[in-house]
Amino acid sequence: MHPRVAGVLFILASATAVAGGSLLLPIQQPGYLSTGGRHAQLATGALLEFALAVSVIAIAAVLWPALRRSGEHLAMLYVTTRTLEGVLIAAGATGALVMTSLAEAHASTAAGEVVLSGRDWVYRMGTLVVFGASAVVLNALLLRGRRVPSWLAWWGLIGGGLLLLRGVIEVYGVALPVAAQAVLAAPIGIEEMVFAGWLIVKGLAPAESRGAAVFA
């Protein structure tokens, strides 16, 4: 039952990430502080990002009982990284709400740039570096315990590594082309939806299972 709930949460997390990020795009536009407006849209976007934060933490909590059978220390590391990811996403959502308040108060552009820069950094750390690391840990656990087909675990392991690589590159201030960003992020994004579907339809195999039909 629990792995299937996690599958639904994975889908919810992806949906809220896309929808919330799209609704919050206006705060990144030049001159937002002078024009303001769209409060309802931005508030909705921030609430969706808070829902995303709750979803990623809930995923780890739901999967913990199953993952610990494949390695308790790694499973705890997964819970820790996903919790940190959720906290960073929530901080980014709070930054978006602060931007709306600054616009209503007609604050200086410098103040807005500081808040927006802070939001970008914590959100980037959460959705690239920490999320990439958590994906690597999760799929290492799945591979170690043979909980899903090996091709799916390897896909997630490599995809998480690519996203983590992108995050580290961007942390060091290297501006990647949009195409490169997509290439590094797409594998784990697609794999998560395949994994979510697998959890909903089949769940996780027992940690001690070695069934050829499951791991072929």
Side-chain angles (χ1 to χ4, degrees):
M1 176 63 180
H2 287 170
R4 290 172 172 80
V5 173
V8 174
L9 288 171
F10 270 113
I11 295 172
L12 179 63
S14 294
T16 51
V18 173
S22 298
L23 289 174
L24 290 173
L25 284 177
I27 66 172
Q28 298 177 345
Q29 296 174 355
Y32 168 73
L33 289 179
S34 60
T35 58
R38 304 188 185 184
H39 183 79
Q41 173 185 331
L42 297 174
T44 301
L47 288 174
L48 286 171
E49 286 198 345
F50 279 116
L52 167 62
V54 172
S55 296
V56 299
I57 296 173
I59 287 170
V62 169
L63 287 178
W64 160 254
L67 294 179
R68 66 182 298 185
R69 298 169 193 161
S70 300
E72 189 163 347
H73 290 96
L74 272 180
M76 181 57 70
L77 180 59
Y78 178 66
V79 172
T80 301
T81 53
R82 294 244 77 173
T83 301
L84 177 58
E85 178 190 349
V87 170
L88 290 170
I89 291 171
T94 302
L97 293 176
V98 171
M99 283 292 291
T100 64
S101 297
L102 290 176
E104 291 173 353
H106 303 290
S108 67
T109 301
E113 289 178 351
V114 169
V115 173
L116 188 59
S117 178
R119 167 185 157 76
D120 287 345
W121 273 110
V122 297
Y123 198 83
R124 186 180 304 164
M125 286 295 294
T127 59
L128 295 181
V129 177
V130 181
F131 170 50
S134 75
V136 169
V137 174
L138 171 61
N139 286 281
L141 279 164
L142 296 174
L143 190 62
R144 179 179 182 179
R146 300 189 179 184
R147 313 305 301 273
V148 297
S150 59
W151 60 265
L152 183 56
W154 275 111
W155 182 1
L157 195 63
I158 294 170
L162 290 174
L163 187 68
L164 177 59
L165 175 63
R166 172 186 162 182
V168 171
I169 290 173
E170 293 190 11
V171 164
Y172 279 96
V174 178
L176 293 172
V178 175
Q181 293 178 21
V183 167
L184 293 173
I188 191 61
I190 299 171
E191 189 274 344
E192 270 213 339
M193 293 302 93
V194 175
F195 179 51
W198 187 275
L199 287 175
I200 293 170
V201 175
K202 295 194 173 184
L204 292 175
E208 67 278 8
S209 174
R210 297 293 184 270
V214 178
F215 305 113

